[in-house]
Amino acid sequence: MGSIGNSDGSLFKIPKIKFTKLFINGEFVDAVSGNTFKTIDPRTGEVITRVAEGGKEDIDLAVKAARDAFDKGAWPRMSGSDRGRIMMKYADLIDENIEELAALDGIDAGKLFSMGKAVDIPQCSSLLRYYAGAADKIHGETLKMSREFQAYTLREPIGVVGHIIPWNFPSIMFFMKVAPALAAGCTMIVKPAEQTPLSALFYAHLAKQAGIPDGVINVVTGFGPKAGAAISSHMDVDKVSFTGSTEVGRLVMQAAAQSNLKVVSLELGGKSPVIIFDDADVDMAVDLALIGILFNKGEICVAGSRVYVQEGIYDKFVQKIAEKAKAWVVGDPFDPLSQQGPQVDKNQFEKILSYIEHGKREGATLLTGGKACGEKGYYIEPTIFTDAKEDMLIVKDEIFGPVMSLMKFKTIAEAIEKANSTKYGLAAGIVTNNINTANTVSRSIRAGVIWINCYFAFDKDCPYGGYKMSGFGRDMGLHALEKYLHTKSVVTPIYNSPWL
């Protein structure tokens, strides 16, 4: 792929793309149709390589492999400690390939290479190790029956799982879903986003190296309307876990209902509020709000895209955040000085710019940014609107880009009302030094995760998911295991027992 010059004069060599075929039953294979599609480098708009385009026939083959591995194979039948040992080996292999994996997400998704090496890829191995440790701790219960029976529950793997993952965090999302499903003893088909297929195929290769049996993890690259729809409607898939847009989440649920009523979990869109009170440290609040919208170029479902600032510090806040936004460095994700890379593809780039134009037309005031930047690629300036209103599209819709709507409020009650005036309920941020304010507001906002005096405080032990139209089901933490387990009750009579 060639070399890239960094700001310090050094060169980083982009790795050769090794895996472009579907991974089914432990082997890399062409699509049945022979079709391929382009994957694009968002830094330039140029083609990186062509990848196999899986369709319904390929999903059928992958599901058959997963079904055979579940019904007849070793993975669900081996002890949890043995599964955990293999998962630990998988994690070690990821650690050995951090730089190459981070580079794949850099060229495919425009993600910062430095962040990939420091955060994204290490988080993948961390998730594997966390769930590896949980694999032998999946327990049922002994029940106290009211009649002469003894009973207990078994926690059994749900079966064949379809994971449909998004393009904004191609590596972390892969393991947020795959790791707990592996620990539970499930087999699976992973459909990565068509924009970012490269790292998923590399993870399939590492799974084979780690000793995960053939058919347990299958990766089918392709497009949602064909490959994703085939997973959602397949009669032999027991569960589908989807992260993506609310619109596609509806389609997944419809397909599940119209096929075999498979279990569904959805992590969908967000329009998360950040509420900053007068007693907050303004400099800290500015830093939290800015990273809340610009981290990963705003392509994150929990982006703090609605920022409400109490009137006593509003003017000071606006001045400081404008200065910091203008100094934010947008550039090549392989340049260590860059703070923000390109949007993932041309469609997302144009969608964000269209929302910015909507904001201008609807009467919001453009404080900073508002334009594309750079001579090539899909880069957008950090954009902040003031004088935004709740009925404007930029306040209502998930933009999924570096666009903040900044608004003023007077009272706690007003802040709570505004924060909840959305169809979404994924996350929220509260910045205050008053514990009573923090308690009241955190309990009043209908969202799945509330960050107080912090933002993006994710952790493998902290469950994460939405309220309302942000979906249902939880990723991360031990709660995530629940999505991949059935509860079975076993009851037998007891005779002449001295007690029940």
Side-chain angles (χ1 to χ4, degrees), residues 306 308 362-365 385-396 405-407 418 421:
R306 296 184 295 142
Y308 296 98
E362 289 181 318
T365 301
F385 283 101
T386 58
D387 304 314
K389 303 290 189 292
E390 263 65 31
D391 60 352
M392 292 180 178
L393 279 181
I394 58 169
V395 179
K396 291 194 299 184
S405 295
L406 184 53
M407 294 161 279
K418 288 178 181 292
S421 65

Side-chain angles (χ1 to χ4, degrees), residues 23-134:
F23 186 78
I24 298 175
N25 204 26
E27 302 292 338
F28 283 103
V29 296
D30 291 320
V32 171
S33 66
N35 291 342
T36 62
F37 65 97
K38 299 173 183 176
T39 187
I40 304 297
D41 184 342
R43 301 171 306 146
T44 61
E46 296 171 359
V47 177
I48 303 167
T49 189
R50 297 189 71 92
V51 177
E53 183 183 338
K56 182 181 183 303
E57 298 87 352
D58 305 288
I59 294 297
D60 287 343
L61 292 172
V63 172
K64 183 181 185 308
R67 174 54 63 193
D68 287 347
F70 186 78
D71 288 349
K72 306 169 189 174
W75 189 253
R77 289 162 186 81
M78 69 174 65
S79 69
S81 60
D82 285 344
R83 284 199 301 271
R85 192 175 299 112
I86 295 172
M87 291 171 68
M88 290 287 191
K89 173 64 174 171
Y90 196 6
D92 291 342
L93 290 170
I94 290 171
D95 287 344
E96 292 170 17
N97 291 274
I98 282 179
E99 190 157 294
E100 187 166 357
L101 289 161
L104 290 177
D105 284 350
I107 57 171
D108 222 10
K111 295 176 70 69
L112 294 180
F113 180 55
S114 59
M115 189 64 69
K117 289 194 298 180
V119 179
D120 287 44
I121 311 306
Q123 178 74 358
C124 296
S125 54
S126 179
L127 281 164
L128 273 170
R129 292 187 179 102
Y130 176 85
Y131 289 107

Side-chain angles (χ1 to χ4, degrees), residues 206-225:
L206 294 181
K208 174 92 171 181
Q209 282 194 324
I212 292 177
D214 294 348
V216 173
I217 296 179
N218 304 273
V219 177
V220 178
T221 52
F223 293 85

Side-chain angles (χ1 to χ4, degrees), residues 376-496:
K376 60 182 179 180
Y378 308 129
Y379 298 89
I380 294 178
E381 296 174 339
T383 299
I384 300 175
F385 283 101
T386 58
D387 304 314
K389 303 290 189 292
E390 263 65 31
D391 60 352
M392 292 180 178
L393 279 181
I394 58 169
V395 179
K396 291 194 299 184
D397 289 3
E398 182 180 46
I399 299 173
F400 227 63
V403 182
M404 175 194 294
S405 295
L406 184 53
M407 294 161 279
K408 187 190 299 185
F409 73 93
K410 290 185 178 181
T411 65
I412 293 177
E414 181 189 357
I416 292 168
E417 182 181 0
K418 288 178 181 292
N420 283 329
S421 65
T422 174
K423 62 185 178 182
Y424 297 114
L426 200 51
I430 302 167
V431 189
T432 180
N433 286 320
N434 186 313
I435 187 65
N436 294 323
T437 299
N439 284 336
T440 298
V441 178
S442 62
R443 284 161 171 75
S444 300
I445 294 176
R446 294 188 53 75
V449 58
I450 310 292
W451 291 305
I452 299 172
N453 295 331
C454 57
Y455 210 77
F456 297 137
F458 291 109
D459 189 83
K460 55 187 177 291
D461 197 45
C462 185
Y464 160 73
Y467 283 29
K468 300 191 281 188
M469 289 178 69
S470 290
F472 47 84
R474 292 295 179 266
D475 286 316
M476 300 208 287
L478 295 179
H479 290 263
L481 283 171
E482 301 295 323
K483 298 195 300 185
Y484 305 108
L485 294 167
H486 273 313
T487 299
K488 176 184 286 183
S489 297
V490 180
V491 183
T492 58
I494 52 174
Y495 302 102
N496 304 316

Side-chain angles (χ1 to χ4, degrees), residues 202-341:
F202 201 111
Y203 291 124
H205 161 69
L206 294 181
K208 174 92 171 181
Q209 282 194 324
I212 292 177
D214 294 348
V216 173
I217 296 179
N218 304 273
V219 177
V220 178
T221 52
F223 293 85
K226 291 184 179 179
I231 290 172
S232 302
S233 62
H234 205 288
M235 293 296 292
D236 215 14
V237 171
D238 299 302
K239 188 245 170 17
V240 62
S241 175
F242 171 79
T243 296
S245 71
T246 300
E247 292 72 26
V248 176
R250 290 180 187 274
L251 298 176
V252 170
M253 284 196 73
Q254 288 170 3
Q258 291 167 0
S259 53
N260 61 342
L261 286 172
K262 60 180 63 65
V263 179
V264 175
S265 57
L266 304 174
E267 195 264 280
L268 306 174
K271 195 70 181 177
S272 299
V274 178
I275 307 168
I276 300 165
F277 289 89
D278 281 344
D279 63 358
D281 179 298
V282 175
D283 290 323
M284 182 190 80
V286 165
D287 288 342
L288 286 178
L290 201 62
I291 199 71
I293 191 60
L294 299 184
F295 177 66
N296 206 52
K297 56 257 181 36
E299 292 174 349
I300 181 166
C301 44
V302 291
S305 51
R306 296 184 295 142
V307 177
Y308 296 98
V309 182
Q310 201 162 15
E311 58 185 1
I313 60 169
Y314 179 82
D315 291 340
K316 186 177 181 182
F317 182 94
V318 168
Q319 176 193 346
K320 285 179 176 283
I321 202 166
E323 291 170 357
K324 291 213 168 188
K326 289 171 183 174
W328 193 259
V329 180
V330 181
D332 192 300
F334 289 90
D335 185 333
L337 295 182
S338 293
Q339 295 171 284
Q340 178 184 321

